[in-house]
Amino acid sequence: MDKVKVAVLGSTGMAGQWFASLLENHPYFEVVALGASKRSAGKKYKEVVKWIIPKPFPEKFKDYVVFDASNPDQLTEKVDLIFSALPSEVAADIELKYLKKGIPVVSNASPFRLEPDVPLMNPEVNSEHLELLKYQTRWGAKLVKNPNCTTAVLTLPLKPILDEFGIEEISVVTMQAISGAGFAGLPAYSIVDNIIPYISKEEYKVKVESVKILGKLENGKIKPSKFSIEATTTRVPVLDSHTEVIYIKPKRSVDANLVKDVLVEFRSRPQELSLPTAPPSPIIVREEEDRPQPRLDRYNGNGMSVTVGRIEVMESGRIRMVAVGHNLLRGASGVSLLTAELMLKEGYI
Amino acid sequence: MDKVKVAVLGSTGMAGQWFASLLENHPYFEVVALGASKRSAGKKYKEVVKWIIPKPFPEKFKDYVVFDASNPDQLTEKVDLIFSALPSEVAADIELKYLKKGIPVVSNASPFRLEPDVPLMNPEVNSEHLELLKYQTRWGAKLVKNPNCTTAVLTLPLKPILDEFGIEEISVVTMQAISGAGFAGLPAYSIVDNIIPYISKEEYKVKVESVKILGKLENGKIKPSKFSIEATTTRVPVLDSHTEVIYIKPKRSVDANLVKDVLVEFRSRPQELSLPTAPPSPIIVREEEDRPQPRLDRYNGNGMSVTVGRIEVMESGRIRMVAVGHNLLRGASGVSLLTAELMLKEGYI
Amino acid sequence: MDKVKVAVLGSTGMAGQWFASLLENHPYFEVVALGASKRSAGKKYKEVVKWIIPKPFPEKFKDYVVFDASNPDQLTEKVDLIFSALPSEVAADIELKYLKKGIPVVSNASPFRLEPDVPLMNPEVNSEHLELLKYQTRWGAKLVKNPNCTTAVLTLPLKPILDEFGIEEISVVTMQAISGAGFAGLPAYSIVDNIIPYISKEEYKVKVESVKILGKLENGKIKPSKFSIEATTTRVPVLDSHTEVIYIKPKRSVDANLVKDVLVEFRSRPQELSLPTAPPSPIIVREEEDRPQPRLDRYNGNGMSVTVGRIEVMESGRIRMVAVGHNLLRGASGVSLLTAELMLKEGYI
Amino acid sequence: MDKVKVAVLGSTGMAGQWFASLLENHPYFEVVALGASKRSAGKKYKEVVKWIIPKPFPEKFKDYVVFDASNPDQLTEKVDLIFSALPSEVAADIELKYLKKGIPVVSNASPFRLEPDVPLMNPEVNSEHLELLKYQTRWGAKLVKNPNCTTAVLTLPLKPILDEFGIEEISVVTMQAISGAGFAGLPAYSIVDNIIPYISKEEYKVKVESVKILGKLENGKIKPSKFSIEATTTRVPVLDSHTEVIYIKPKRSVDANLVKDVLVEFRSRPQELSLPTAPPSPIIVREEEDRPQPRLDRYNGNGMSVTVGRIEVMESGRIRMVAVGHNLLRGASGVSLLTAELMLKEGYI
C-alpha cells in the first residue's frame, strides 16, 4: 500500500514537533511537506525549528524546505491529508483554505470543535462519531477535530464508567503542565515555586467538549451526554502531562474493585484495529497509593495511555480517581494521529 | 506586665524555627529555653540549628544552650508555657511529661487532637472551644492542640460560610507545599517536575479535624459539625503554602457576591482583642481570575491570612473557591502562637 | 528638605516594579510620575502593572495615571530626575529625549554604558567616577548608568581585593537567575529541570564593564583596570540572584584569612554618607562550606549586600570564592537608586 | 557463548536500578541475583524497590528474591562477577568479602579508588589500565573501580585534548544533578529555587581521580598525569546530568576548530570492540551557542556520550568548553557496565 501523503501545519511549535517525531517512520503516513509561519517559509526545517521535545530530532526532515502554511498555494507537493497544529487564533481561516482546495484536515486547534457536523475525536471514546462526516458537506473536504488536552485525558477513563454505571455528575480539578501553554506561553518567573489557579477558557472547554465526545450519534447528530460537569483548572510546575482529580457520581452504586476492573479491561475500536498509535491498554490502573505521578507515568503506552490511581468510592457514593495523561500525545498530536489512522482504516480517507 | 516565660520543644525543625523567629521580639512571651533532641542537647542553638526558613536567624537565641526536650528535668529555667513543635511520633510521651510537671502545653503535633477534652484551636474559627479546658482535668496542666496545616487553612474560610449559609457538604482537593513534609521529609528527586497525588494520613485528618473545629461547644462537649467532607491531598513543587480547591454545598442558595462579602467582612475574637499575631483581615478575597497564587500570597497578613479567589457559584449550587494559606504559619507555628495569645487574654494562662 | 521629584520609566517591568517599591517611602525622592509603553499610557498604574515581585504592591501609586514614557511631553509633572528601567532596545532614543529637555537620567539600560564621559556606577566601587559628569557636556543634562547585573555583583568583592592585593586575572562562571531575563524573557519550558549555558551578550558585557568600573579616573578620563577577564555565563532555575564562582589571580600572594578580613572590613563612600539604600556591610562573608545560597542569602542587606563564601587560596595561588547578589537590587534598581542618593549628597543633583 | 552470570549489590538504589535496567537484556551478562540491605532480603525485588528512574521497571526481575548483599553466603547462585552499587560507607567491607570468595567485583563505590593496584576505569580514556590487574594479587579475585560521576564526565573530553595538545592546568566549575546525591540524599526544600555551592568531598575526588585516570601505565604502575587541577562543585535543581564548565590550559597553542575536530573524531578501544554499551560517538560537539543543556542532551549515546559545546579559545590561550554527561550512566552504572564489557573482551573475566 502506498503511504498517504500528509503535510503538517504549525510544524515548528511543540505539537508540531511531536507530529514530526511521530510521523518520521509511520507505517501509513508519509510527510511530504512541513508548514509554518511566513517568517520561516523558504528555510530548512532544521534551521527554523528550535527542537525542544524530549525525543531525537527527526533527521529525515532536516532539509525539508518549510512552506508558508497560511497559503495552500505554496504547498507544491500533492497532499492527501493535513495535520494542523496551528495556533487557535489563526487556525479557522487557514484550515478552511485547505478544505476548499479539497484536502481533508485533522486538527488540534480549537475553532469548529463544537460545530454540529464536525466530529470531535478521542478514538477510544467515540470512534463511531466519524459517521458525522457523512453529513458534513459544507466544505470541499472533511474536517475532523480533536479535543483540548484536558478533555482528551478526562474522557478516556470516563467512557467505560459511563457505559457501565452511568454518570450523573462530574467534578474535576486539574494540575496542568507547562507545555500545555505552548513553548513560550508561560514565563518561567511565573511558575517556579508557584501554582496559577486558572487557565484561560479551559474550564468552559472541558465542560462543552466532554459532553459532545461522550454523546451519542443519533440520526446524524450528536446528542450530548447529559451529566453535569464542573471543572477547576490550574497550572503547576510540571513539564509535561496533566494530572486530574476526578469525582464521578455514577447512576448506580458501585464498588472500587468493579470500577478498577472496568477500567483495566476497557478496549475499543483502535485496539481492535491494532492501529499503530493505539496503546494496548488505553487505561492503566495503578494500585500504589502514591501513583499516578506525571513524571513517572507520562510515557505509559508511548504517551497514549491514561494512568489512573487512588480509585475509591467515597461515602457520598462518588467515585474518586486521579488520572495522568500526556497533554501533547493523548492530548494533542498523538490523538490527532490516532484519529487519522482510524479514519484511514474505516475508509474516511 | 512581666512576660510569660516559654520554652520551645523541637526548636531546630522548620516549625521550631518559625517559633523562634516569631517569638524573638514578642510582646507577651519570652523564650527562656529551647529544646531539641538529645543529640543536640548541651550545644548552642546556633551550632545545632540548620537555619533554613526565609527569615533572618534570631540572633537573640544564638548562644542559648539547647536542652534535651525529652526530659523536662533538663529544663533548668522556670517556664510558664510550652510550645511544642515535636515530631508526632514522639510528641505524646514527651508532652505528657510536661503536663505532669504542671506546665501547660500548646502543641502542633497530632496526638490527642481528637480527644474530647482537648481543644483543637484555630482561633478565628473556634475561640470559644477554649472553654473545654475547664473540663480538662486529667493532667496536672492544660493541653491545647492546633490542627494539621491543611485543616487550619481550610476551616478559616469555611467558618463564615457555615455561620451564614450552613454547609451540607465539602469537597477539597489540595496542592500542598514541600515544607509540609518537614525539612528532610521529601527527597528532591521525587518532586522536581512532578506531583505526588497522596499524603499519608492527611485526608483522614482533614475530615475528622475539620468537623471538630467547626463544631459547637455544648455542655462541655464539642458536637462536631455535621456536614460530610471529602478530601484528595497532593504534594506539588512549591516551597511553602498549601493551595486548596474547595467546593461547598451550602444549605441555602447563595450568590457569589454575597459569599465574597461574608468572607471579606469576617472578623473574630483575635481581631477584637487585637492579638499581636492576629491578621487584621483573616480572609483576603482577590478578584483577579489568576489569584491566589502561593508564591505571591503566602505572606499576606504576615502568613496568617488565608487568601481566597476564583469564587463562583456553580450550576449545581455549590460554592467554588481556591484558598492559599501558609502551612507553617497559619498552619502550624503561627496558629499555635495565636492560640497562646488568646489563652493569655482570656485568662487560661 | 523638599524631596527630589522623580519619574520612573519602564515602571511596569520587573526593574520598574522594584523602583516603585523602593521609592514608595524614600527619604530623598518622591515619585511624581510613572512612565510605561504607549499601550499602558492613560491608565492607572494598578490596572497596567502585573505585580510580580516579592514585595507588597505600593498602594501609594495605585491610582497614578501612567504616561507614555517615549514622549517626555506627556510628562505633565515637573521632574528633577529620571530613573530609567527601559528595555535596552528603546532606551537610547528615549533617554536622550529627557536629557535634551534638561532632565538628568540615572539608567539601568545598556546603551551608553561604555561611553567615555558616562559614569558607570556601582557606588561602593567607584563613587569617585561621578566626577566624570563635570566633563559630560554634550547633552542638556547628565546621564549616569549602572552596570549589568552580573558585573554589579562581581565588581563589589573585587574592589577591596584589587586595592589590597592587585589583580592580574579574573575568571568567573555564573549561574544566573530567571528574573535576569525580564519577566517574560524566559519560557518556563526551557528552564525547569535544566540549565542554559549561555546568555546573549553577557560575557562581553562582564568583560568590558568590569574594567571600566574598576578603572581609575585620571585627568577626566577612566583608565580601565588592566587585568584580563574571562566569563562563562549560564542560566539556572533560580528565581532571583546570581551566583558567581570567581577565581582571582592576585598580584601578590595572599592567604584566605587575610582575604576574608579585607572583604568583611570593606566600607566605602555610601556607608560613610549613611545613604539610605547603602547596606551597612556591603560584603558579607559566610564561613559555612555550603554558603552562600541564592535563596537564603539574596535579601542580605536588603538585597544590596553581596554574600561571599567558599573563600580559598588554591595551589595555583588564585583566590576562589562564590558570590551571591540580588540581580534586581544590587544588580539593577537598587544600584541605580544608591547612585542617585550618592549624586544628591555629592552635589550632582 | 554462555552469558556471564552476575549479581548486583545495592540493587534498589538509583545506580542499582540503572544496573537492573541496563542488564535486563544484555548480550554478555545475565543477572542471577539481586542484593540489597538486610532489611530487604528475602522479599521480591518488585516489593522492595521503589522504582524511580525514567525507564520502565524490568519485569524480568520482578520476582527475584533479593538477598542480603552484606553476606556473600546468602548468595545461593553461582556468580562470575559482581556489580557493586553499594553506598560508599559500607562498600569496602562488603566488596572484600566477595573478593575473598573469589568473585571479581566491578564497583561504583569510592573506597579503593586510589589504591595503586586498582584500575580506575573510564574505558574510552584508559582501557590499557586494566593491565594493572596482572599486578593486583592481594585478594582472591580482581577489583575494578569506576570514578565518581563528575570525574567520569570530565575526563572523557580531556583525553583527546591531553593526547593531542598536552594539558598544563585544568579548572572546572560544576553544576551537578540532584540524583548525584542518591535518591533521598537531598531534601527538596533545600534545592528548589536554589543552588548549593558545595558537595562534600567532591572537589578532592575530582582532583585525585582525574590525574590517575589520565595517567600512564608504566612498569605495572600508574604514573599520574601532571597537570594541576582546580574544581568548584555545586548542586543545582536539575534531576539528572552534570554540567561542567571546563577551562584547559594546553601545552601548545590551539584554535577552536582544531579542538572541535579532535573531540568529534575521538574513538577508543570500546568503539573498536563495538562494546554494547559503548556510544558510537563518545564525545558529541554542539555548535549552537546555547548547548549543551542537561535536559536535552543527557540521553545522547544512550546516556554514555558526553556532549560538549561553547568551545572557544580564550585570550589567555585557555580552551573553554561546557560539557554535559549523565551522572548515573556515563558517571556510574553505565561506565561500570562498559568496563565489565571491556574486561570480558580483553580476557580479564
Side-chain angles (χ1 to χ4, degrees), chain C residues 308-324:
Chain C
V308 172
R310 302 220 64 212
I311 297 172
E312 215 170 284
V313 176
M314 313 302 273
E315 276 175 41
S316 64
R318 298 206 295 173
I319 303 163
R320 190 269 312 274
M321 63 176 67
V322 178
V324 163

PDB file of all heavy atoms in Angstrom, chain C residues 308-324:
ATOM      1  N   VAL C 308      29.493  36.319  50.230  1.00  0.00           N
ATOM      2  CA  VAL C 308      30.620  35.596  49.659  1.00  0.00           C
ATOM      3  C   VAL C 308      30.988  34.431  50.565  1.00  0.00           C
ATOM      4  O   VAL C 308      30.907  34.543  51.786  1.00  0.00           O
ATOM      5  CB  VAL C 308      31.824  36.557  49.504  1.00  0.00           C
ATOM      6  CG1 VAL C 308      33.074  35.811  49.091  1.00  0.00           C
ATOM      7  CG2 VAL C 308      31.502  37.658  48.509  1.00  0.00           C
ATOM      8  N   GLY C 309      31.343  33.316  49.959  1.00  0.00           N
ATOM      9  CA  GLY C 309      31.765  32.174  50.749  1.00  0.00           C
ATOM     10  C   GLY C 309      32.726  31.303  49.970  1.00  0.00           C
ATOM     11  O   GLY C 309      33.139  31.643  48.866  1.00  0.00           O
ATOM     12  N   ARG C 310      33.057  30.156  50.569  1.00  0.00           N
ATOM     13  CA  ARG C 310      33.987  29.204  49.954  1.00  0.00           C
ATOM     14  C   ARG C 310      35.305  29.882  49.546  1.00  0.00           C
ATOM     15  O   ARG C 310      35.910  29.525  48.520  1.00  0.00           O
ATOM     16  CB  ARG C 310      33.324  28.515  48.751  1.00  0.00           C
ATOM     17  CG  ARG C 310      32.027  27.793  49.158  1.00  0.00           C
ATOM     18  CD  ARG C 310      31.876  26.483  48.480  1.00  0.00           C
ATOM     19  NE  ARG C 310      32.930  25.582  48.899  1.00  0.00           N
ATOM     20  CZ  ARG C 310      33.468  24.644  48.161  1.00  0.00           C
ATOM     21  NH1 ARG C 310      33.045  24.449  46.929  1.00  0.00           N
ATOM     22  NH2 ARG C 310      34.420  23.878  48.626  1.00  0.00           N
ATOM     23  N   ILE C 311      35.724  30.806  50.363  1.00  0.00           N
ATOM     24  CA  ILE C 311      36.964  31.525  50.053  1.00  0.00           C
ATOM     25  C   ILE C 311      38.151  30.628  50.345  1.00  0.00           C
ATOM     26  O   ILE C 311      38.281  30.083  51.445  1.00  0.00           O
ATOM     27  CB  ILE C 311      37.054  32.819  50.890  1.00  0.00           C
ATOM     28  CG1 ILE C 311      35.898  33.748  50.512  1.00  0.00           C
ATOM     29  CG2 ILE C 311      38.413  33.492  50.683  1.00  0.00           C
ATOM     30  CD1 ILE C 311      35.768  34.953  51.408  1.00  0.00           C
ATOM     31  N   GLU C 312      39.001  30.493  49.365  1.00  0.00           N
ATOM     32  CA  GLU C 312      40.122  29.591  49.488  1.00  0.00           C
ATOM     33  C   GLU C 312      41.235  30.105  48.572  1.00  0.00           C
ATOM     34  O   GLU C 312      40.949  30.666  47.524  1.00  0.00           O
ATOM     35  CB  GLU C 312      39.690  28.199  49.005  1.00  0.00           C
ATOM     36  CG  GLU C 312      40.291  27.032  49.725  1.00  0.00           C
ATOM     37  CD  GLU C 312      39.588  25.735  49.313  1.00  0.00           C
ATOM     38  OE1 GLU C 312      38.447  25.482  49.778  1.00  0.00           O
ATOM     39  OE2 GLU C 312      40.181  25.004  48.512  1.00  0.00           O
ATOM     40  N   VAL C 313      42.467  29.920  49.000  1.00  0.00           N
ATOM     41  CA  VAL C 313      43.560  30.184  48.076  1.00  0.00           C
ATOM     42  C   VAL C 313      44.011  28.837  47.526  1.00  0.00           C
ATOM     43  O   VAL C 313      44.400  27.950  48.285  1.00  0.00           O
ATOM     44  CB  VAL C 313      44.716  30.934  48.763  1.00  0.00           C
ATOM     45  CG1 VAL C 313      45.882  31.109  47.793  1.00  0.00           C
ATOM     46  CG2 VAL C 313      44.229  32.290  49.261  1.00  0.00           C
ATOM     47  N   MET C 314      43.904  28.695  46.229  1.00  0.00           N
ATOM     48  CA  MET C 314      44.179  27.416  45.588  1.00  0.00           C
ATOM     49  C   MET C 314      45.694  27.198  45.458  1.00  0.00           C
ATOM     50  O   MET C 314      46.477  28.132  45.662  1.00  0.00           O
ATOM     51  CB  MET C 314      43.541  27.379  44.194  1.00  0.00           C
ATOM     52  CG  MET C 314      42.099  27.854  44.136  1.00  0.00           C
ATOM     53  SD  MET C 314      40.938  26.951  45.210  1.00  0.00           S
ATOM     54  CE  MET C 314      40.445  25.585  44.143  1.00  0.00           C
ATOM     55  N   GLU C 315      46.071  26.002  45.090  1.00  0.00           N
ATOM     56  CA  GLU C 315      47.507  25.731  44.900  1.00  0.00           C
ATOM     57  C   GLU C 315      48.162  26.677  43.897  1.00  0.00           C
ATOM     58  O   GLU C 315      49.324  27.059  44.028  1.00  0.00           O
ATOM     59  CB  GLU C 315      47.705  24.290  44.409  1.00  0.00           C
ATOM     60  CG  GLU C 315      47.739  23.290  45.537  1.00  0.00           C
ATOM     61  CD  GLU C 315      47.808  21.868  44.990  1.00  0.00           C
ATOM     62  OE1 GLU C 315      48.536  21.631  44.015  1.00  0.00           O
ATOM     63  OE2 GLU C 315      47.090  21.003  45.559  1.00  0.00           O
ATOM     64  N   SER C 316      47.393  27.066  42.911  1.00  0.00           N
ATOM     65  CA  SER C 316      47.914  27.968  41.881  1.00  0.00           C
ATOM     66  C   SER C 316      48.137  29.372  42.419  1.00  0.00           C
ATOM     67  O   SER C 316      48.660  30.225  41.714  1.00  0.00           O
ATOM     68  CB  SER C 316      46.905  28.058  40.742  1.00  0.00           C
ATOM     69  OG  SER C 316      45.701  28.653  41.233  1.00  0.00           O
ATOM     70  N   GLY C 317      47.689  29.632  43.645  1.00  0.00           N
ATOM     71  CA  GLY C 317      47.795  30.979  44.187  1.00  0.00           C
ATOM     72  C   GLY C 317      46.559  31.810  43.905  1.00  0.00           C
ATOM     73  O   GLY C 317      46.417  32.924  44.415  1.00  0.00           O
ATOM     74  N   ARG C 318      45.640  31.277  43.097  1.00  0.00           N
ATOM     75  CA  ARG C 318      44.420  32.022  42.810  1.00  0.00           C
ATOM     76  C   ARG C 318      43.476  31.976  44.014  1.00  0.00           C
ATOM     77  O   ARG C 318      43.389  30.969  44.713  1.00  0.00           O
ATOM     78  CB  ARG C 318      43.711  31.424  41.593  1.00  0.00           C
ATOM     79  CG  ARG C 318      44.557  31.509  40.310  1.00  0.00           C
ATOM     80  CD  ARG C 318      43.713  31.524  39.064  1.00  0.00           C
ATOM     81  NE  ARG C 318      42.981  30.263  38.867  1.00  0.00           N
ATOM     82  CZ  ARG C 318      42.084  30.096  37.915  1.00  0.00           C
ATOM     83  NH1 ARG C 318      41.786  31.101  37.083  1.00  0.00           N
ATOM     84  NH2 ARG C 318      41.472  28.939  37.770  1.00  0.00           N
ATOM     85  N   ILE C 319      42.790  33.107  44.204  1.00  0.00           N
ATOM     86  CA  ILE C 319      41.739  33.149  45.229  1.00  0.00           C
ATOM     87  C   ILE C 319      40.464  32.621  44.588  1.00  0.00           C
ATOM     88  O   ILE C 319      40.091  33.043  43.503  1.00  0.00           O
ATOM     89  CB  ILE C 319      41.490  34.600  45.690  1.00  0.00           C
ATOM     90  CG1 ILE C 319      42.786  35.228  46.220  1.00  0.00           C
ATOM     91  CG2 ILE C 319      40.387  34.645  46.733  1.00  0.00           C
ATOM     92  CD1 ILE C 319      42.720  36.760  46.303  1.00  0.00           C
ATOM     93  N   ARG C 320      39.786  31.707  45.260  1.00  0.00           N
ATOM     94  CA  ARG C 320      38.489  31.228  44.772  1.00  0.00           C
ATOM     95  C   ARG C 320      37.419  31.681  45.753  1.00  0.00           C
ATOM     96  O   ARG C 320      37.606  31.546  46.973  1.00  0.00           O
ATOM     97  CB  ARG C 320      38.486  29.691  44.712  1.00  0.00           C
ATOM     98  CG  ARG C 320      37.270  29.086  43.988  1.00  0.00           C
ATOM     99  CD  ARG C 320      36.070  28.757  44.863  1.00  0.00           C
ATOM    100  NE  ARG C 320      36.319  28.033  46.075  1.00  0.00           N
ATOM    101  CZ  ARG C 320      36.382  26.717  46.148  1.00  0.00           C
ATOM    102  NH1 ARG C 320      36.229  25.984  45.080  1.00  0.00           N
ATOM    103  NH2 ARG C 320      36.590  26.144  47.332  1.00  0.00           N
ATOM    104  N   MET C 321      36.328  32.188  45.227  1.00  0.00           N
ATOM    105  CA  MET C 321      35.189  32.500  46.091  1.00  0.00           C
ATOM    106  C   MET C 321      33.902  32.288  45.317  1.00  0.00           C
ATOM    107  O   MET C 321      33.897  32.259  44.086  1.00  0.00           O
ATOM    108  CB  MET C 321      35.268  33.937  46.589  1.00  0.00           C
ATOM    109  CG  MET C 321      35.199  34.982  45.498  1.00  0.00           C
ATOM    110  SD  MET C 321      35.185  36.678  46.156  1.00  0.00           S
ATOM    111  CE  MET C 321      36.814  36.796  46.852  1.00  0.00           C
ATOM    112  N   VAL C 322      32.806  32.117  46.056  1.00  0.00           N
ATOM    113  CA  VAL C 322      31.485  32.072  45.441  1.00  0.00           C
ATOM    114  C   VAL C 322      30.715  33.279  45.974  1.00  0.00           C
ATOM    115  O   VAL C 322      30.679  33.497  47.194  1.00  0.00           O
ATOM    116  CB  VAL C 322      30.744  30.768  45.792  1.00  0.00           C
ATOM    117  CG1 VAL C 322      29.343  30.763  45.177  1.00  0.00           C
ATOM    118  CG2 VAL C 322      31.540  29.559  45.312  1.00  0.00           C
ATOM    119  N   ALA C 323      30.148  34.065  45.058  1.00  0.00           N
ATOM    120  CA  ALA C 323      29.422  35.267  45.461  1.00  0.00           C
ATOM    121  C   ALA C 323      27.969  35.161  45.026  1.00  0.00           C
ATOM    122  O   ALA C 323      27.671  34.648  43.947  1.00  0.00           O
ATOM    123  CB  ALA C 323      30.061  36.491  44.818  1.00  0.00           C
ATOM    124  N   VAL C 324      27.071  35.644  45.879  1.00  0.00           N
ATOM    125  CA  VAL C 324      25.650  35.708  45.546  1.00  0.00           C
ATOM    126  C   VAL C 324      25.170  37.138  45.755  1.00  0.00           C
ATOM    127  O   VAL C 324      25.452  37.735  46.801  1.00  0.00           O
ATOM    128  CB  VAL C 324      24.827  34.755  46.440  1.00  0.00           C
ATOM    129  CG1 VAL C 324      23.334  35.106  46.391  1.00  0.00           C
ATOM    130  CG2 VAL C 324      25.020  33.309  46.004  1.00  0.00           C
TER     131      VAL C 324
END
